[in-house]
Amino acid sequence: MDRSKLYRRFRTLLIANRGEIACRVIRTARAMGLRTVAVYSEADRDAMHVALADEAVLLGPARARDSYLNIERLIEAARKTGAEAVHPGYGFLSENAEFARACYDAGLVFVGPTAGMMTAMGSKSGSKELMEKAGVPLVPGYHGEAQDDATLSKAADKIGFPVLVKASAGGGGRGMRIVRSADELAPAIVSAKREAKAAFGDDRMLIEKYVDNPRHIEVQIIGDSHGNLLSLFERECTLQRRHQKVIEEAPSPTLNAAQRETVCAAARKAAGAVNYVGAGTIEFVSDGKDVFFIEMNTRLQVEHPVTELITGIDLVEWQLRVAFGEALPLKQDEIRLNGHAIEARVYAENPTKNFMPSVGRISTWRLPAETGGLRIDAGYREGDTVSPYYDAMLAKVIAWAPTRDVAIERLNRGLEETDVRGIVTNIPFLSALITHPKVRANAIDTGFIERELAVLTAAAPAPGELELCAAVAAIVNVERQTAQAEANSPWQTFGWQPVGRRQRSFAFRVGHGPEQKITLNYGSGPSTLVIGERELAFTIAAKDGGFDLTLDGVKSSVAAVIDGHELYLRTRNGRFDLHWVDPFGGESEEHVGEDKIAAPLPGTVVAVLAEEGTKLEKGAPILTLEVMKMEQTLRAPYAGVLKSIKCKVGDIVQEGVELALVEPSGE
Ligand code: ADP
């Protein structure tokens, strides 16, 4: 292949990916003065990466096979927009040699290694053979061509159980089985082959010694087309679930300086074996003493930001410069390790329901500011929809600090300040994970999350006095803001505190737990909140994202989001999801049965649904009120006749005002 055709200067870059990595690449490309072209599927028309790019091309239907994995469409998109180069991101076609070759054939620069390097390193078996020759330490194992049962079983016996059966073409932990004894081997191979065939169209297997309770350590490397190859220190990615990384950090807190140099040298040797060009990662497992090569990833990884934060290098910039045909700007001894960085992957998934992906519209998206050592790589915004078609990773929260302990604290703070609503996320799980004493102490292995799952997904603490008060304050705060926003509203005259002493009762519940009641007393004097026998004076001062709540003289910051009847609060005691029990009785039998049809909250009558004189069943709708932009329907408390309606559409009614009268039918 002609080197000047492979790597040369270009001005327009197509990003063959979506989500956070597409956004991440666009950011750097733009900073380097490049024109950017996004591609998207029908499900991603309004996605963030499409909005960020200078141009965007529709590839096809939502299914990845019809869009992000469609090589022809991608090449066509580059042609249409005059793109001269393609960045594949990670996942999708990033390690697909056929795609790299198709780009080359179409005269496009592929930002990554050549198809030949990918083929050599892409297969776990092939790369192990190469590493063996280069003298890189391997996990004891079998990675030969012969795939018959007898050969595989003999190999497993020789290695000694437990062994790991792995798809040679594998990725994402698929096609992998732990086998603890000889009689488990045959069925494990059958099922691993089936999975590998379906996922990768290739069912060749290799067998490795299963390192018990291992750590995952990997080295970032990058090479240019002039023969320079650098290692950029290592990352520890031991916190995994089902062989998928959850938290990554750099440098590894497990290695000392001498071990660091050993593993980095092994990685350079590994990449040097194919004269590697581009960014890549050499992955190792470690038994705590030695490290063993497991595979190479010939692309940028999800966790590359932790390396960027400790080295000060923008890896995407370096990838692009290598693709321009430039030489790497630094020498190995000029690469410095500064401080510690740690990353958490924020997923739309429910850890308490076996990490089931959560899809839907993101109604609230609040991420902390990128200050004080925090970095956010996001692929979504408020109002975006998380579709079921792609990986459910929403964003990465990354923290840097001079020391590991402080980096963990910063990351935790960053996660605590992250409020995403409308879909379920793993944020509370991530907080529990990184603050676990064993994680702080680095007393972990790749099985840690699975073993500690009960602790990591434990239910949030029950709301206490502070949270109940904060819940009422959140509602009052929003009502107050709504009132202020609406000019000429009667709120202007009455304010939110009508004259005279008044009361409002609230009930909240967590999940299906018991209702907790709290009463707000307000009027001429200072307002108070009453829980059982306790009466507490309170004030609120609104601020961005919530308010300061002063309760019996103690001020405390509360973050609050109200989404219909769901209240999300963050207080000094943690995160709380409260359900505001419908004050209109729509969901609680208790309320149906009270005989007065009155406005339980101040609001506007938006619909009258029944006519005077008609017969009503119990629960029949009578009228609809709008309160805090939410519609609530008032229903007949019992069967009877609608005697009178005492309001009309458009009326603004105060709390407690009787709106209709139903005469019971006398059963
Ligand atoms: P994939 O390409 O599917 O991600 P890898 O070979 O990278 O597969 O392995 C993924 C994870 O599986 C590793 O990070 C490690 O946790 C575990 N693993 C892989 N090989 C071994 C081994 N020989 N012993 C123990 N654990 C292993």
Side-chain angles (χ1 to χ4, degrees):
M1 280 181 191
D2 180 359
R3 205 179 75 182
S4 65
K5 223 184 128 194
L6 274 168
Y7 303 112
R8 66 182 147 73
R9 186 97 206 168
F10 49 84
R11 288 173 45 220
T12 302
L13 176 70
L14 181 141
I15 299 96
N17 216 301
R18 64 180 301 283
E20 73 85 18
I21 191 60
C23 299
R24 157 77 189 90
V25 173
I26 290 170
R27 202 163 47 188
T28 288
R30 161 129 348 128
M32 292 172 75
L34 298 179
R35 196 165 68 95
T36 55
V37 179
V39 290
Y40 62 98
S41 71
E42 278 163 14
D44 276 342
R45 281 179 193 282
D46 301 318
M48 183 169 165
H49 73 284
V50 176
L52 278 184
D54 297 312
E55 275 170 79
V57 182
L58 175 66
L59 293 173
R63 249 186 0 175
R65 202 186 325 156
D66 302 323
S67 48
Y68 298 104
L69 291 176
N70 189 318
I71 294 178
E72 238 170 81
R73 293 280 173 86
L74 285 160
I75 301 287
E76 179 55 31
R79 200 168 280 141
K80 253 194 237 169
T81 53
E84 301 150 274
V86 174
H87 193 301
Y90 53 69
F92 293 127
L93 295 169
S94 61
E95 292 188 281
N96 186 304
E98 194 194 325
F99 182 50
R101 185 157 294 124
C103 288
Y104 178 81
D105 290 344
L108 300 166
V109 174
F110 180 79
V111 182
T114 63
M117 293 171 198
M118 266 189 213
T119 315
M121 297 306 270
S123 133
K124 292 189 211 285
S125 309
S127 67
K128 287 178 89 172
E129 211 164 292
L130 269 168
M131 293 309 109
E132 205 164 27
K133 283 201 192 115
V136 175
L138 298 184
V139 194
Y142 169 81
H143 46 267
E145 275 298 314
Q147 293 285 311
D148 59 284
D149 291 352
T151 306
L152 293 178
S153 121
K154 220 162 81 200
D157 280 335
K158 191 167 156 226
I159 296 162
F161 292 94
V163 298
L164 194 61
V165 173
K166 240 189 223 185
S168 184
R174 277 173 303 173
M176 206 146 85
R177 299 283 183 278
I178 301 168
V179 181
R180 300 209 173 262
S181 63
D183 55 322
E184 290 173 19
L185 185 68
I189 289 177
V190 171
S191 86
K193 281 197 172 205
R194 194 169 43 226
E195 195 172 292
K197 186 90 195 162
F200 318 110
D202 178 345
D203 66 358
R204 278 171 305 158
M205 292 287 140
L206 58 89
I207 301 181
E208 274 173 12
K209 175 82 196 158
Y210 179 68
V211 181
D212 256 318
N213 308 325
R215 288 174 172 276
H216 175 111
I217 290 169
E218 60 184 34
V219 177
Q220 176 70 52
I221 53 109
I222 187 160
D224 64 24
S225 58
H226 304 270
N228 303 305
L229 182 75
L230 301 175
S231 60
L232 305 180
F233 303 109
E234 80 290 356
R235 298 184 281 258
E236 168 115 20
C237 316
T238 297
L239 289 170
Q240 305 181 345
R241 202 183 68 82
R242 306 223 166 118
H243 306 301
Q244 293 249 50
K245 297 157 190 166
V246 179
I247 302 282
E248 304 100 342
E249 52 187 309
S252 160
T254 312
L255 304 184
N256 61 32
Q259 291 168 315
R260 172 160 305 120
E261 184 38 42
T262 306
V263 69
C264 289
R268 290 193 298 269
K269 207 189 256 177
V274 286
N275 300 315
Y276 192 75
V277 179
T281 299
I282 313 288
E283 298 194 327
F284 301 90
V285 285
S286 169
D287 57 6
K289 217 164 85 263
D290 300 306
V291 294
F292 307 101
F293 172 84
I294 51 173
E295 69 162 342
M296 174 169 190
N297 287 322
T298 54
R299 55 173 166 84
L300 195 67
Q301 310 237 139
V302 176
E303 59 272 25
H304 74 277
V306 292
T307 298
E308 296 186 318
L309 291 181
I310 61 158
T311 57
I313 293 166
D314 181 329
L315 275 166
V316 173
E317 181 195 330
W318 278 29
Q319 281 189 301
L320 293 171
R321 291 172 70 162
V322 167
F324 288 163
E326 291 179 21
L328 291 171
L330 295 179
K331 300 266 171 290
Q332 188 67 56
D333 61 5
E334 293 171 316
I335 312 285
R336 299 261 187 282
L337 195 170
N338 177 27
H340 196 95
I342 180 163
E343 170 182 284
R345 299 185 183 192
V346 176
Y347 276 90
E349 64 183 15
N350 188 343
T352 63
K353 290 200 174 129
N354 198 25
F355 295 85
M356 190 166 71
S358 172
V359 297
R361 191 176 162 274
I362 300 173
S363 54
T364 302
W365 179 262
R366 282 193 204 150
L367 285 107
E370 289 187 296
T371 54
L374 272 188
R375 165 171 165 181
I376 312 288
D377 281 16
Y380 289 82
R381 303 155 298 181
E382 196 154 288
D384 283 352
T385 297
V386 181
S387 79
Y389 302 102
Y390 317 108
D391 183 80
M393 193 175 78
L394 302 174
K396 303 178 301 203
V397 180
I398 313 127
W400 178 92
T403 65
R404 182 174 188 264
D405 287 341
V406 178
I408 288 177
E409 291 309 334
R410 284 182 175 172
L411 177 59
N412 190 43
R413 176 101 200 205
L415 289 169
E416 279 182 347
E417 289 175 2
T418 303
D419 300 332
V420 179
R421 310 296 293 172
I423 46 164
V424 184
T425 74
N426 66 340
I427 295 169
F429 164 80
L430 292 172
S431 286
L433 181 58
I434 59 158
T435 54
H436 192 295
K438 288 198 165 165
V439 172
R440 286 187 197 267
N442 189 33
I444 52 169
D445 59 72
T446 55
F448 176 81
I449 290 179
E450 231 75 54
R451 286 196 306 276
E452 294 289 317
L453 213 50
V455 174
L456 298 173
T457 55
E465 196 175 86
L466 172 62
E467 287 72 40
L468 290 177
C469 293
V472 173
I475 293 167
V476 169
N477 188 44
V478 169
E479 286 176 358
R480 219 195 250 183
Q481 282 167 352
T482 312
Q484 276 158 5
E486 279 164 20
N488 301 326
S489 103
W491 293 97
Q492 296 293 87
T493 9
F494 297 118
W496 67 287
Q497 295 183 340
V499 260
R501 185 96 173 148
R502 300 172 69 96
Q503 277 198 340
R504 260 170 86 178
S505 296
F506 296 85
F508 301 100
R509 171 177 91 210
V510 174
H512 295 292
E515 283 182 16
Q516 289 176 279
K517 294 197 160 70
I518 174 168
T519 305
L520 164 65
N521 285 315
Y522 57 108
S524 24
S527 302
T528 62
L529 288 163
V530 181
I531 303 173
E533 303 287 290
R534 299 251 302 151
E535 179 158 9
L536 302 132
F538 86 104
T539 57
I540 33 181
K543 62 178 193 188
D544 220 23
F547 48 87
D548 281 330
L549 171 65
T550 306
L551 208 53
D552 266 357
V554 179
K555 187 189 92 170
S556 139
S557 171
V558 176
V561 175
I562 302 184
D563 193 359
H565 278 163
E566 307 312 316
L567 265 73
Y568 162 77
L569 300 173
R570 189 160 25 82
T571 70
R572 64 163 175 266
N573 301 321
R575 291 168 184 277
F576 297 86
D577 286 324
L578 300 185
H579 176 76
W580 179 14
V581 178
D582 188 349
F584 295 80
E587 60 182 300
S588 163
E589 279 302 307
E590 250 173 45
H591 291 270
V592 184
E594 282 171 10
D595 49 3
K596 217 168 113 190
I597 299 160
L601 292 175
T604 309
V605 178
V606 292
V608 174
L609 305 165
E611 273 176 43
E612 280 182 4
T614 50
K615 272 176 82 175
L616 299 174
E617 294 293 311
K618 178 179 169 180
I622 299 173
L623 55 90
T624 303
L625 275 186
E626 189 188 274
V627 182
M628 290 166 57
K629 310 230 180 286
M630 268 157 29
E631 289 200 353
Q632 291 296 340
T633 296
L634 298 194
R635 294 166 188 280
Y638 35 69
V641 174
L642 182 57
K643 214 57 207 158
S644 65
I645 296 223
K646 303 183 171 184
C647 59
K648 59 182 189 311
V649 171
D651 282 358
I652 293 163
V653 294
Q654 283 301 316
E655 174 212 346
V657 171
E658 190 168 49
L659 301 175
L661 186 66
V662 178
E663 207 172 70
S665 46
E667 292 135 42

